[in-house]
Amino acid sequence: MKSKFLALVLVVFALGAMSFLAPHEPIKIGESSPAFAELTTNIDGKDAVLREYLKPNGIMVIFSSNTCPFVVAWEDRYFGLADYCKANNIGFVLINSNEAKRDGEDSFQAMKAHYEEQKYDFPYLVDHNSTIANLMGAKSTPHVYFFDKDMQLVYRGAIDDNHKDETKVTATYALNAMRNHMAGIPASPQTTNALGCSIKRVKK
């Protein structure tokens, strides 16, 4: 009996360890996420759960940061996406999940400075302990997630197909996904490869 109990304990421990060590997989198209119930802090100091930024036609979430070269290359294009969202009653937020850099280049003060320098006019949120990134399976900065009004995922991936040169973009993935959604058409493609710097999580 003792050996059976020990074996059961070992199995439970092994399953728990595998769960802990498993990478955070991105949520699938059509799925929602418990991340919408997680608390964030905006650059103005306001605390709110992510769901509060949802608008009647959905929400565009971009995992971002202050200094990643891919963000620097793409962030001018944030404004066009934000403008489309504003015109079509879609929420738009940037989320900084680099918890391992909170004492440095992704500190709250550094985020405020970056916000002002770039003249952002949309929320720039702190993801405490990378919880939202973990729940959504975000891998990089930038990484785009577009959800409908029911918080179900419509599109996940890159902003477009050329971070180096905006004049050579041939596919505006994120914008097209929103346009298709507003027209009642599924995004095409629904997922793309999100190029960027890895999200800096605290190692446990």
Side-chain angles (χ1 to χ4, degrees), residues 91-167:
F92 182 91
V93 298
L94 302 183
I95 298 181
N96 189 314
S97 300
N98 281 348
E99 188 67 21
K101 290 193 170 185
R102 292 291 180 234
D103 293 330
E105 59 194 27
D106 284 297
S107 68
F108 188 69
Q109 289 303 317
M111 286 176 61
K112 286 180 71 173
H114 190 74
Y115 176 93
E116 291 168 5
E117 179 184 332
Q118 296 302 316
K119 296 182 171 57
Y120 288 165
D121 59 353
F122 33 76
Y124 187 22
L125 310 176
V126 176
D127 175 16
H128 302 288
N129 301 312
S130 308
T131 304
I132 294 172
N134 292 344
L135 290 171
M136 288 191 187
K139 304 290 187 184
S140 61
T141 59
H143 200 166
V144 175
Y145 286 70
F146 172 50
F147 297 87
D148 66 16
K149 64 181 178 61
D150 298 314
M151 295 176 286
Q152 294 178 335
L153 186 63
V154 173
Y155 170 76
R156 183 191 75 234
I159 291 173
D160 55 46
D161 66 349
N162 196 320
H163 71 282
K164 294 180 180 178
D165 188 346
E166 188 174 3
T167 65

Side-chain angles (χ1 to χ4, degrees), residues 22-28 31-36 38 50 61 63 95 97 127 130-145 147 153 156-157 191-194 197-199 201:
H24 303 284
E25 292 300 322
I27 61 173
K28 295 179 176 60
E31 290 183 344
S32 189
S33 171
F36 280 100
E38 292 298 323
L50 182 59
V61 174
F63 290 89
I95 298 181
S97 300
D127 175 16
S130 308
T131 304
I132 294 172
N134 292 344
L135 290 171
M136 288 191 187
K139 304 290 187 184
S140 61
T141 59
H143 200 166
V144 175
Y145 286 70
F147 297 87
L153 186 63
R156 183 191 75 234
T191 62
T192 58
N193 183 36
C197 305
S198 63
I199 289 176
R201 295 168 164 90

Side-chain angles (χ1 to χ4, degrees), residues 3 5 12 38 74 78 117 121 139 142 168 180-181 190:
S3 61
F5 176 76
V12 171
E38 292 298 323
W74 254 311
Y78 289 173
E117 179 184 332
D121 59 353
K139 304 290 187 184
K168 295 181 180 178
N180 280 17
H181 180 67
Q190 294 178 316

